[in-house]
Amino acid sequence: MHYETPSMVSITEARELILNRVATLPAEDVPLLDAAGRVLASHVTAPFDIPTADNSAMDGYAFATAAWTGKPLRTCGTLPAGEVWRGPVAAGEAVRIMTGAPLPAGCDTVVPLEETVTEGDAVRFTGEVTAGSHVRRRGEEIRAGERVLLAGALLRPQEIALLASLGNGTATVFRRPRVAIIATGDELQEPGSHVQTGRIFDCNSSGIAAQVMEAGGVPLRLGIAGDDAERTREMIRRGLDADLVITSGGVSVGDRDHVKDAIGQLGGKLLFWRVNMKPGKPVAGALIGRTPLVALPGNPVAALVAGELFVRPALLRMAGHRRIFRPRVTAILDQEIYNRGSRPHLVRCIVEYRDGCYHAVTTGEQGSARLTSLTTGNAILHSPPGTRIPAGTAVELGMLGRGTAAGWETPWP
Ligand code: AMP
Ligand code: MG
C-alpha cells in the first residue's frame, strides 16, 4: 500500500494536528456522583434562595431585640434543626434554637449558648448583644434564579456539593470519551497467562488503558492483533465505533509494521508520522472517517510518554475540559543533563520539594523500554538536542500525576 508519507513533525505540531481533529463530545444527564471530575455542559440556575429562610448560625437563644428591655428572658421552648416554630414568641421570651433551625417569626437575633447563663427557665446574656447577629438571612448567599455554575465548569467535590444543595440528583455533563485500545506484536501475551520462552507480556494495553481512565475516558481493550496485517486492520475497523482508537507498536519501518497500511486500507488519512523526540519517534496520527487514531510506539516508555503528550490532551478536550495540560513546576536541576543526540529528549525526572524550593534529578538510565525510568519518576524535562544544561540551572518540568506547582507533596497547612 503506497500513499504519500508525511514528514517528521515537532511535538507541538503533532499535538496540534490531533487536537484540531477532536471535538467536544455531546452532553448527557448522569447521576450526580457520576458527574464528579467531569465538565458541566449547561448553566445551572438556583431554583430557590439559599438559605431558604432566615436561620440560626449558632446553637443559642433566638428573640426579638425590638421588645427587649435588657432583662433575662423566659425560655418558651426548644427548636431543633429540621423543625419549624409554630406560634408567637412573646415579649420577654426567647426560644432555645439549634444551628440551622429557621428563625421563629418576629425573632431577629441569636445569642450563642457560650454567652448565656440559665437560671431555671430564665436565660441571661453575659456579653454585648448586637441586633441581627448570628442569623443567616434568606437568600444572602444565592438568590432564586441566579446562575451559580457556568457550562464548562469542572465539577470538583465543592461543585458537586453545591449542585446537591440545590436539590439536583443528576447533572448534565459532557460524555466520557470511549477509547479502543489495540496492541500489536506476535511476541505479546496477555498478563495473567503463563509466559512462553521468547515472549513478553503486553503491558501497553494496560498502561494506556490506565492513562485513558486517569484522563476520564473509558478504555475498551480490543486485545492483541499480533503481527497479522488482516487482524490489525479488522481490529482497527472494530475500534472505529469508539471516539478514539489507540494502537501500540507496529508503526515503525519493520516488515511487520502493519498499522500504517491498515489505516490506508480503511480509507484513513495520516495526519503525521514520526515525531521529533526521544523516546517516542514512531508515532502516527490519523483520521479514519470521523474517528481519530493515535498509533503509539511499541516500547512501553515511548508509548506512555507519547500517550501523555498526544492522547491525554485530546481526551480532556473531548470531555469538555478547558485546562488540558498538566501543571508545570520550576525546579533547580541537581545534576548536569547533556543531550548529545539530534532529537529533543523527554527526560524522566524526580522532582522533590526541599529547603524552600523544588529540586530535580533524572531517574537514571533512560532507555525507552525501561518502564522503571517512569515508575521512579514524577516529572518530565524537555532537553533540547546538542545542549548541556549545567547543574544548578532553574528548569521547567511537566508534572505527571496530580502534582501542582505550589505545595506539591507537602502537607498543608
Ligand atoms: P515495535 O514498534 O512493534 O517494533 O515495538 C518496539 C518494541 O516494543 C519491541 O521490543 C516490542 O516487543 C515492544 N512492544 C511492542 N508492543 C508492546 C506491548 N504491548 N507491551 C510490551 N512491549 C511491547
Ligand atoms: Mg511489533
Side-chain angles (χ1 to χ4, degrees), residues 95-154:
V95 175
R96 192 175 161 98
I97 193 168
M98 300 301 128
T99 306
L103 225 59
C107 295
D108 64 335
T109 301
V110 172
V111 175
L113 286 184
E114 297 84 335
E115 297 169 22
T116 65
V117 176
T118 51
E119 288 142 10
D121 67 354
V123 59
R124 184 163 57 78
F125 303 144
T126 54
E128 190 107 336
V129 174
T130 312
S133 58
H134 305 296
V135 174
R136 303 188 284 224
R137 299 259 163 233
R138 173 180 179 160
E140 74 177 16
E141 184 187 354
I142 299 168
R143 290 270 174 209
E146 199 178 307
R147 210 172 253 183
V148 287
L149 290 174
L150 295 177
L154 173 64

Side-chain angles (χ1 to χ4, degrees), residues 182-189 198 200-206 208 223-224 226-227 247-254 256-259 282 296-303 368-369 371:
I182 300 161
T184 70
D186 278 343
E187 71 279 28
L188 299 181
Q189 265 188 239
I200 58 170
F201 289 121
D202 166 17
C203 65
N204 288 350
S205 293
S206 305
I208 294 161
I224 301 169
D227 280 319
T247 61
S248 72
V251 71
S252 204
V253 289
R256 296 175 147 211
D257 291 342
H258 302 303
V259 172
L296 296 175
N299 272 313
V301 175
S368 56
L371 265 181

Side-chain angles (χ1 to χ4, degrees), residues 20 28 87 92 109 133 140 149 164 172 190 192 222 250 265 273-274 278 294 296-297 304 314 350 360 382 393 404-405:
N20 287 342
E28 61 181 358
T109 301
S133 58
E140 74 177 16
L149 290 174
T172 308
E190 206 50 74
L222 300 192
Q265 287 159 8
W273 176 47
R274 288 177 303 174
K278 186 180 174 182
V294 180
L296 296 175
L304 287 177
I350 303 162
H382 181 275
T393 309
T404 56

Side-chain angles (χ1 to χ4, degrees), residues 290-356:
R290 299 163 62 97
T291 312
L293 177 148
V294 180
L296 296 175
N299 272 313
V301 175
L304 287 177
V305 169
E308 177 67 33
L309 295 177
F310 307 124
V311 174
R312 185 184 156 84
L315 295 181
L316 291 175
R317 173 156 296 171
M318 285 185 199
H321 291 269
R322 292 184 182 160
R323 303 182 66 167
I324 60 173
F325 301 117
R326 296 274 202 191
R328 293 186 188 186
V329 299
T330 300
I332 305 298
L333 193 58
D334 281 349
Q335 72 184 89
E336 178 185 275
I337 291 184
Y338 186 14
N339 178 356
R340 293 180 179 80
S342 57
R343 283 184 273 154
H345 282 186
L346 298 166
V347 183
R348 281 78 75 198
C349 289
I350 303 162
V351 170
E352 262 174 7
Y353 190 74
R354 199 173 352 103
D355 307 328

